[in-house]
């Protein structure tokens, strides 16, 4: 029987939540961005945060929204979160976070929330605070608002290749297009164009006071193997460090050896391991 109940956190506990998020700035970046932008009121945040631990000593968090993300979740917290969540309908499209917590949750939730479409148990989490030592591609730049139509097909191709389903399958892609638009308008989408077509793209999908997290890295199939990715990625890292945040972070599938080599050349170092369960 659980002696420390899980509870939904509200705005009065925001300082305690932010303190925990500061302790795990890379794995908790998506949650930190949400809290900074919209606070802890569920009707504003499009999600809710569960807390584990005494009111005077909050220990662990679990964000529940489009994704489910445990943060600093101890074994006891994982068991407590799973005990509560097992009685709820699954609404999230994925579980993502530190591998031990995600896999612990999935071990307890798979009977009621399964089956999963894919489980990725080993995703190296990488970060850097140093400008790249390799040359940068001067053709990689921020995408302009009038170039969304050119960027969007590449974004769809990247998403479909990475996630395994098309973002156009739900609401004909309107939500995904809004997301791409938002990133462009915020100056967080990068691309290299050749003859008007995207040959490389990446986004700062998450930005906090501690890190800019890169996602959506993609090279057009016909340009793969030409060695453009390292210089292109270096350009993104350089701009993000100079303009956006004190560190740049990302996570990558362990089996994606070419991408891992690119990130290593750009100065990224391991800071942990994530896992993702996709539905």
């Amino acid at each position: 029987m659980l002696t420390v109940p899980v509870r939904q956190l509200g705005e009065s506990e925001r300082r305690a939540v932010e303190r925990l998020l500061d302790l795990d700035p890379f794995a908790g970046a998506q949650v930190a961005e949400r809290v900074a932008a919209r606070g802890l009121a569920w009707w504003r945040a499009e999600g809710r945060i569960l807390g584990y631990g005494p009111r005077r000593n909050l220990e662990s968090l679990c964000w529940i929204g489009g994704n489910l993300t445990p943060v600093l979740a101890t074994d006891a917290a994982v068991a407590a979160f799973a005990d509560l969540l097992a009685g709820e309908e699954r609404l999230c499209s994925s579980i993502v976070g530190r591998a031990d917590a995600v896999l612990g949750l999935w071990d307890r939730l798979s009977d009621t929330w399964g089956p999963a479409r894919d489980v990725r148990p080993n995703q190296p989490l990488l970060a850097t605070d140093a400008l790249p030592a390799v040359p940068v591609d001067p053709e990689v730049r921020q995408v302009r608002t009038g170039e969304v139509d050119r960027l969007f097909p590449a974004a769809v191709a990247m998403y479909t290749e990475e996630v395994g389903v098309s973002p156009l399958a739900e609401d004909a892609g309107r939500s995904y297009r809004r997301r791409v638009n938002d990133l462009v308008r915020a100056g967080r989408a990068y691309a290299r164009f050749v003859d008007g077509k995207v040959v490389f793209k990446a986004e700062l999908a998450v930005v906090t006071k501690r890190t800019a997290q890169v996602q959506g890295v993609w090279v057009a199939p016909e340009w793969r193997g030409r060695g453009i990715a390292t210089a292109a990625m270096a350009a993104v890292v350089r701009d993000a460090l100079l303009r956006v945040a004190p560190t740049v972070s990302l996570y990558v599938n362990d089996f994606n050896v070419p991408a891992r080599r690119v990130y290593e050349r750009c100065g990224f170092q391991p800071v942990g391991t994530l896992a993702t369960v996709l539905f």
Side-chain angles (χ1 to χ4, degrees), residues 68-106:
L68 190 152
T69 302
V71 179
L72 296 175
T74 61
D75 289 344
V78 166
F81 292 142
D83 186 64
L84 175 67
L85 294 169
E88 299 184 3
E89 178 186 3
R90 178 186 63 79
L91 299 177
C92 61
S93 61
S94 67
I95 307 174
V96 59
R98 294 275 180 184
D100 53 351
V102 167
L103 298 177
L105 281 170
W106 184 234

Side-chain angles (χ1 to χ4, degrees), residues 181-203:
N181 262 308
D182 289 345
L183 289 169
V184 169
R185 292 187 180 188
R188 288 161 54 172
Y190 300 85
R192 178 182 174 186
F193 295 89
V194 175
D195 297 328
K197 296 183 65 175
V198 175
V199 300
F200 168 87
K201 64 167 285 295
E203 295 95 36

Side-chain angles (χ1 to χ4, degrees), residues 25-30 125-126 188 203-208 211-216 240 244-245 247-251 274:
F26 303 124
Q30 293 186 15
L125 177 63
L126 312 173
R188 288 161 54 172
E203 295 95 36
L204 305 181
V206 176
V207 173
T208 72
T211 194
Q213 194 165 96
V214 179
Q215 295 180 16
V244 182
T247 69
V248 179
S249 56
L250 55 83
Y251 58 99
L274 301 191

Side-chain angles (χ1 to χ4, degrees), residues 1-245:
M1 187 169 181
L2 298 174
T3 58
V4 180
V6 172
R7 65 188 187 280
Q8 183 169 324
L9 305 178
E11 194 65 26
S12 64
E13 295 178 279
R14 182 166 177 171
R15 182 173 297 181
V17 169
E18 291 174 339
R19 175 182 59 80
L20 285 185
L21 291 170
D22 277 343
L23 294 175
D24 200 1
F26 303 124
Q30 293 186 15
V31 180
E33 183 184 55
R34 287 279 187 170
V35 170
R38 301 193 178 186
L40 299 183
W42 63 266
W43 58 88
R44 292 200 308 266
E46 298 178 351
R48 55 196 172 108
I49 294 185
L50 303 179
Y52 177 85
R55 289 193 175 275
R56 294 178 180 269
N57 186 27
L58 189 64
E59 297 176 14
S60 304
L61 306 173
C62 188
W63 165 266
I64 307 171
N67 301 321
L68 190 152
T69 302
V71 179
L72 296 175
T74 61
D75 289 344
V78 166
F81 292 142
D83 186 64
L84 175 67
L85 294 169
E88 299 184 3
E89 178 186 3
R90 178 186 63 79
L91 299 177
C92 61
S93 61
S94 67
I95 307 174
V96 59
R98 294 275 180 184
D100 53 351
V102 167
L103 298 177
L105 281 170
W106 184 234
D107 184 58
R108 293 169 171 83
L109 292 173
S110 57
D111 287 344
T112 53
W113 279 18
R117 185 167 50 81
D118 193 10
V119 177
R120 300 176 182 180
N122 183 7
Q123 297 176 302
L125 177 63
L126 312 173
T128 182
D129 61 1
L131 294 175
V134 296
V136 303
D137 185 343
E139 300 298 317
V140 173
R141 58 172 174 80
Q142 294 175 53
V143 180
R144 304 181 185 111
T145 54
E147 296 173 321
V148 172
D149 286 343
R150 293 180 179 179
L151 176 65
F152 190 66
V156 170
M158 176 282 304
Y159 187 101
T160 304
E161 189 174 320
E162 172 64 22
V163 179
V165 296
S166 172
L168 305 181
E170 185 176 347
D171 72 8
R174 288 187 293 273
S175 297
Y176 188 63
R177 188 179 181 90
R178 282 196 298 272
R179 172 63 174 164
V180 173
N181 262 308
D182 289 345
L183 289 169
V184 169
R185 292 187 180 188
R188 288 161 54 172
Y190 300 85
R192 178 182 174 186
F193 295 89
V194 175
D195 297 328
K197 296 183 65 175
V198 175
V199 300
F200 168 87
K201 64 167 285 295
E203 295 95 36
L204 305 181
V206 176
V207 173
T208 72
K209 65 182 181 180
R210 303 289 298 277
T211 194
Q213 194 165 96
V214 179
Q215 295 180 16
V217 180
W218 181 84
V219 175
E222 64 272 21
W223 281 77
R224 294 173 190 173
R226 299 194 191 186
I228 72 166
T230 298
M233 189 65 195
V236 173
V237 173
R238 178 180 175 82
D239 182 72
L241 287 175
L242 293 177
R243 186 176 61 89
V244 182

